[in-house]
């Protein structure tokens, strides 16, 4: 089946710094990748949809300049949280969708900004 | 935006009892999926039910779908402590096509005590 590898699993960074999260599709090509954010005890909220070779589409209320998404190849999508602040501390999960395998999720990244 | 609403938000039961979680959604769907998430971890796909199905079984799981009421239920029979997790329903926004994001309900947190 399809596997999405997400790294890092957890990261602690200082306020004001940037953090990059990577999601790689290991055995398939992901034309589209979805990025979600999940605060404690809450559900997954869709942040953006990234398409290979084009600009990401952000959900209402998500700052595109703060959450930079790059989908430069069919196997790699990255989310960069720029100038991170404590309120950005959250669980971030990526997901790819294929007709053959349905939806596949990364294992998530726990971001803590101190 | 949230597509589904689950109830109850939290459920505590004893091992061996059955757990029922409900989900309502707002728009027409081609299928509905249920996922499990252990605390701080990624998502595990449990079961998918298509819009032309009314009931589906998988091991100790039973899912029903009522498209006229736009609702679904997940029943876990003979629960175990290992079933302790959060459960989410999810539907594809805008149809069932690769490239369409899954939208998640608010989830039900299930605690099974031994």
């Amino acid at each position: 089946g399809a596997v999405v590898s997400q790294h890092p699993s957890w990261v602690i960074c200082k306020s004001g710094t940037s953090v990059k999260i990577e999601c790689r599709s290991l055995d398939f090509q992901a034309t589209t990748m979805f990025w979600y954010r999940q605060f404690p005890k809450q559900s997954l909220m869709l942040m953006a949809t990234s398409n290979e070779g084009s600009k990401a589409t952000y959900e209402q209320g998500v700052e595109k300049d703060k959450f930079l998404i790059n989908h430069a190849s069919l196997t790699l999508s990255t989310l960069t949280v720029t100038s991170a602040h404590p309120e950005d501390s959250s669980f971030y999960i990526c997901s790819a969708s294929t007709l053959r395998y349905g939806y596949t999720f990364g294992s998530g990244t726990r971001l803590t900004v101190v | 935006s949230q597509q589904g609403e689950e109830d109850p938000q939290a459920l505590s039961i004893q091992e061996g009892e059955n757990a029922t979680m409900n989900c309502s959604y707002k728009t027409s769907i081609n299928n509905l999926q249920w996922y499990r998430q252990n605390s701080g971890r990624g998502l595990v796909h449990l079961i998918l039910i298509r819009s032309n199905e009314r009931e589906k079984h998988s091991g100790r799981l039973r899912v029903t779908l009522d498209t006229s009421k736009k609702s679904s239920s997940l029943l876990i029979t003979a629960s175990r402590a290992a079933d302790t997790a959060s459960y989410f329903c999810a539907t594809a926004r805008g149809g069932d096509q690769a490239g369409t994001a899954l939208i998640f309900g608010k989830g039900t947190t299930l605690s099974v005590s031994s």
Side-chain angles (χ1 to χ4, degrees):
Chain A
V3 175
V4 172
S5 176
Q6 183 171 347
H7 292 281
S9 299
W10 59 270
V11 58
I12 301 173
C13 72
K14 291 184 177 181
S15 188
T17 61
S18 297
V19 173
K20 180 184 285 188
I21 301 169
E22 290 188 350
C23 277
R24 294 180 183 274
S25 54
L26 297 186
D27 46 6
F28 68 101
Q29 294 182 330
T31 307
T32 303
M33 195 76 80
F34 308 106
W35 288 92
Y36 295 85
R37 179 171 55 183
Q38 184 181 33
F39 291 110
K41 300 188 185 302
Q42 295 188 24
S43 185
L44 284 78
M45 297 296 294
L46 179 67
M47 297 176 66
T49 300
S50 76
N51 294 292
E52 185 267 336
S54 63
K55 290 184 178 180
T57 302
Y58 290 82
E59 295 298 300
Q60 190 173 9
V62 177
E63 300 174 59
K64 62 180 181 180
D65 294 330
K66 181 170 187 60
F67 299 99
L68 300 179
I69 292 174
N70 184 282
H71 197 156
S73 77
L74 289 171
T75 58
L76 175 64
S77 178
T78 61
L79 167 67
T80 301
V81 182
T82 63
S83 187
H85 290 285
E87 57 265 31
D88 299 322
S89 298
S90 187
F91 192 61
Y92 294 86
I93 307 178
C94 61
S95 172
S97 169
T98 63
L99 288 172
R100 182 175 182 182
Y101 299 113
Y103 294 90
T104 304
F105 289 84
S107 55
T109 298
R110 171 77 56 196
L111 170 63
T112 302
V113 185
V114 297
Chain B
S1 60
Q2 296 287 49
Q3 166 77 310
E5 300 277 339
E6 275 103 325
D7 76 270
Q9 288 188 332
L11 181 61
S12 295
I13 58 175
Q14 298 283 323
E15 262 191 331
E17 294 180 338
N18 296 340
T20 299
M21 290 158 266
N22 303 297
C23 164
S24 61
Y25 56 92
K26 298 177 182 176
T27 63
S28 61
I29 60 171
N30 289 325
N31 62 63
L32 183 144
Q33 305 184 49
W34 285 90
Y35 288 84
R36 183 184 75 211
Q37 183 183 36
N38 289 74
S39 180
R41 307 289 293 275
L43 294 171
V44 174
H45 181 261
L46 295 177
I47 196 166
L48 179 151
I49 185 166
R50 301 192 186 284
S51 59
N52 60 354
E53 298 175 307
R54 291 296 169 260
E55 187 172 310
K56 196 166 183 178
H57 296 255
S58 176
R60 295 185 295 113
L61 305 180
R62 173 181 166 242
V63 170
T64 63
L65 180 65
D66 187 335
T67 54
S68 66
K69 295 181 180 179
K70 290 187 167 60
S71 66
S72 174
S73 68
L74 170 67
L75 168 68
I76 303 174
T77 60
S79 64
R80 306 166 181 168
D83 294 328
T84 295
S86 291
Y87 293 82
F88 299 94
C89 67
T91 57
R93 182 172 67 180
D96 182 25
Q97 303 172 23
T100 302
L102 277 182
I103 304 299
F104 290 84
K106 291 184 177 180
T108 294
T109 299
L110 174 66
S111 297
V112 182
S113 54
S114 54

